[in-house]
PDB file of all heavy atoms in Angstrom:
ATOM      1  N   ARG A 239       4.909   7.265   0.056  1.00  0.00           N
ATOM      2  CA  ARG A 239       5.538   6.334   0.998  1.00  0.00           C
ATOM      3  C   ARG A 239       4.800   5.007   0.960  1.00  0.00           C
ATOM      4  O   ARG A 239       3.575   4.944   0.884  1.00  0.00           O
ATOM      5  CB  ARG A 239       5.500   6.891   2.421  1.00  0.00           C
ATOM      6  CG  ARG A 239       6.254   8.169   2.623  1.00  0.00           C
ATOM      7  CD  ARG A 239       6.513   8.390   4.098  1.00  0.00           C
ATOM      8  NE  ARG A 239       7.409   7.392   4.632  1.00  0.00           N
ATOM      9  CZ  ARG A 239       8.736   7.545   4.698  1.00  0.00           C
ATOM     10  NH1 ARG A 239       9.289   8.662   4.284  1.00  0.00           N
ATOM     11  NH2 ARG A 239       9.490   6.592   5.187  1.00  0.00           N
ATOM     12  N   GLN A 259     -17.225  15.336  21.298  1.00  0.00           N
ATOM     13  CA  GLN A 259     -18.316  16.290  21.066  1.00  0.00           C
ATOM     14  C   GLN A 259     -18.138  17.580  21.851  1.00  0.00           C
ATOM     15  O   GLN A 259     -18.823  18.572  21.579  1.00  0.00           O
ATOM     16  CB  GLN A 259     -19.653  15.632  21.433  1.00  0.00           C
ATOM     17  CG  GLN A 259     -20.068  14.530  20.470  1.00  0.00           C
ATOM     18  CD  GLN A 259     -21.373  13.875  20.870  1.00  0.00           C
ATOM     19  OE1 GLN A 259     -21.690  13.799  22.063  1.00  0.00           O
ATOM     20  NE2 GLN A 259     -22.126  13.404  19.903  1.00  0.00           N
ATOM     21  N   ARG A 270      -7.240  17.663  47.694  1.00  0.00           N
ATOM     22  CA  ARG A 270      -5.986  16.944  47.951  1.00  0.00           C
ATOM     23  C   ARG A 270      -5.641  16.086  46.748  1.00  0.00           C
ATOM     24  O   ARG A 270      -6.513  15.697  45.958  1.00  0.00           O
ATOM     25  CB  ARG A 270      -6.072  16.079  49.204  1.00  0.00           C
ATOM     26  CG  ARG A 270      -6.989  14.900  49.099  1.00  0.00           C
ATOM     27  CD  ARG A 270      -6.803  13.979  50.302  1.00  0.00           C
ATOM     28  NE  ARG A 270      -7.521  12.714  50.110  1.00  0.00           N
ATOM     29  CZ  ARG A 270      -7.315  11.639  50.823  1.00  0.00           C
ATOM     30  NH1 ARG A 270      -6.431  11.655  51.793  1.00  0.00           N
ATOM     31  NH2 ARG A 270      -7.982  10.528  50.577  1.00  0.00           N
ATOM     32  N   LEU A 273      -0.245  11.146  45.097  1.00  0.00           N
ATOM     33  CA  LEU A 273       0.831  10.970  44.126  1.00  0.00           C
ATOM     34  C   LEU A 273       1.613   9.689  44.425  1.00  0.00           C
ATOM     35  O   LEU A 273       2.524   9.691  45.273  1.00  0.00           O
ATOM     36  CB  LEU A 273       1.750  12.184  44.168  1.00  0.00           C
ATOM     37  CG  LEU A 273       1.040  13.500  43.803  1.00  0.00           C
ATOM     38  CD1 LEU A 273       1.778  14.695  44.368  1.00  0.00           C
ATOM     39  CD2 LEU A 273       0.901  13.619  42.298  1.00  0.00           C
ATOM     40  N   LYS A 295       4.303  24.568  43.348  1.00  0.00           N
ATOM     41  CA  LYS A 295       3.939  23.943  42.077  1.00  0.00           C
ATOM     42  C   LYS A 295       5.192  23.731  41.224  1.00  0.00           C
ATOM     43  O   LYS A 295       5.967  24.662  41.004  1.00  0.00           O
ATOM     44  CB  LYS A 295       2.938  24.830  41.338  1.00  0.00           C
ATOM     45  CG  LYS A 295       2.390  24.245  40.058  1.00  0.00           C
ATOM     46  CD  LYS A 295       1.337  25.171  39.460  1.00  0.00           C
ATOM     47  CE  LYS A 295       0.693  24.580  38.214  1.00  0.00           C
ATOM     48  NZ  LYS A 295      -0.348  25.468  37.657  1.00  0.00           N
ATOM     49  N   LEU A 365      20.093  18.677  27.286  1.00  0.00           N
ATOM     50  CA  LEU A 365      18.691  18.400  26.942  1.00  0.00           C
ATOM     51  C   LEU A 365      18.216  17.108  27.593  1.00  0.00           C
ATOM     52  O   LEU A 365      17.091  17.029  28.108  1.00  0.00           O
ATOM     53  CB  LEU A 365      18.534  18.324  25.425  1.00  0.00           C
ATOM     54  CG  LEU A 365      18.894  19.602  24.649  1.00  0.00           C
ATOM     55  CD1 LEU A 365      18.823  19.347  23.156  1.00  0.00           C
ATOM     56  CD2 LEU A 365      17.958  20.738  25.041  1.00  0.00           C
ATOM     57  N   ALA A 380       3.052   3.295  28.231  1.00  0.00           N
ATOM     58  CA  ALA A 380       4.201   2.444  28.579  1.00  0.00           C
ATOM     59  C   ALA A 380       4.910   2.951  29.830  1.00  0.00           C
ATOM     60  O   ALA A 380       5.453   2.159  30.597  1.00  0.00           O
ATOM     61  CB  ALA A 380       5.174   2.387  27.414  1.00  0.00           C
ATOM     62  N   GLY A 391      22.442   4.703  22.584  1.00  0.00           N
ATOM     63  CA  GLY A 391      23.802   4.200  22.368  1.00  0.00           C
ATOM     64  C   GLY A 391      24.010   3.665  20.965  1.00  0.00           C
ATOM     65  O   GLY A 391      25.004   2.986  20.703  1.00  0.00           O
ATOM     66  N   GLY A 518      10.644  25.003  30.665  1.00  0.00           N
ATOM     67  CA  GLY A 518      11.147  24.574  31.967  1.00  0.00           C
ATOM     68  C   GLY A 518      10.085  23.917  32.830  1.00  0.00           C
ATOM     69  O   GLY A 518      10.269  23.734  34.028  1.00  0.00           O
ATOM     70  N   PRO A 569     -10.927  -0.482  26.358  1.00  0.00           N
ATOM     71  CA  PRO A 569     -11.541  -1.782  26.621  1.00  0.00           C
ATOM     72  C   PRO A 569     -10.648  -2.949  26.223  1.00  0.00           C
ATOM     73  O   PRO A 569     -10.852  -4.075  26.704  1.00  0.00           O
ATOM     74  CB  PRO A 569     -12.800  -1.744  25.757  1.00  0.00           C
ATOM     75  CG  PRO A 569     -12.492  -0.770  24.667  1.00  0.00           C
ATOM     76  CD  PRO A 569     -11.605   0.258  25.285  1.00  0.00           C
ATOM     77  N   LEU A 707      53.448 -18.109  59.699  1.00  0.00           N
ATOM     78  CA  LEU A 707      54.061 -19.045  60.623  1.00  0.00           C
ATOM     79  C   LEU A 707      55.286 -19.711  60.007  1.00  0.00           C
ATOM     80  O   LEU A 707      56.325 -19.877  60.657  1.00  0.00           O
ATOM     81  CB  LEU A 707      53.035 -20.123  61.027  1.00  0.00           C
ATOM     82  CG  LEU A 707      51.905 -19.646  61.940  1.00  0.00           C
ATOM     83  CD1 LEU A 707      50.897 -20.761  62.159  1.00  0.00           C
ATOM     84  CD2 LEU A 707      52.470 -19.173  63.275  1.00  0.00           C
ATOM     85  N   LYS A 709      57.198 -18.548  57.712  1.00  0.00           N
ATOM     86  CA  LYS A 709      58.280 -17.577  57.603  1.00  0.00           C
ATOM     87  C   LYS A 709      58.921 -17.324  58.953  1.00  0.00           C
ATOM     88  O   LYS A 709      60.144 -17.157  59.068  1.00  0.00           O
ATOM     89  CB  LYS A 709      57.717 -16.277  57.025  1.00  0.00           C
ATOM     90  CG  LYS A 709      58.797 -15.252  56.708  1.00  0.00           C
ATOM     91  CD  LYS A 709      58.196 -14.042  56.016  1.00  0.00           C
ATOM     92  CE  LYS A 709      59.288 -13.055  55.649  1.00  0.00           C
ATOM     93  NZ  LYS A 709      58.725 -11.867  54.974  1.00  0.00           N
TER      94      LYS A 709
END
Side-chain angles (χ1 to χ4, degrees):
R239 297 198 66 92
Q259 290 179 329
R270 69 170 190 165
L273 299 157
K295 185 176 184 179
L365 299 174
L707 289 175
K709 187 175 182 180

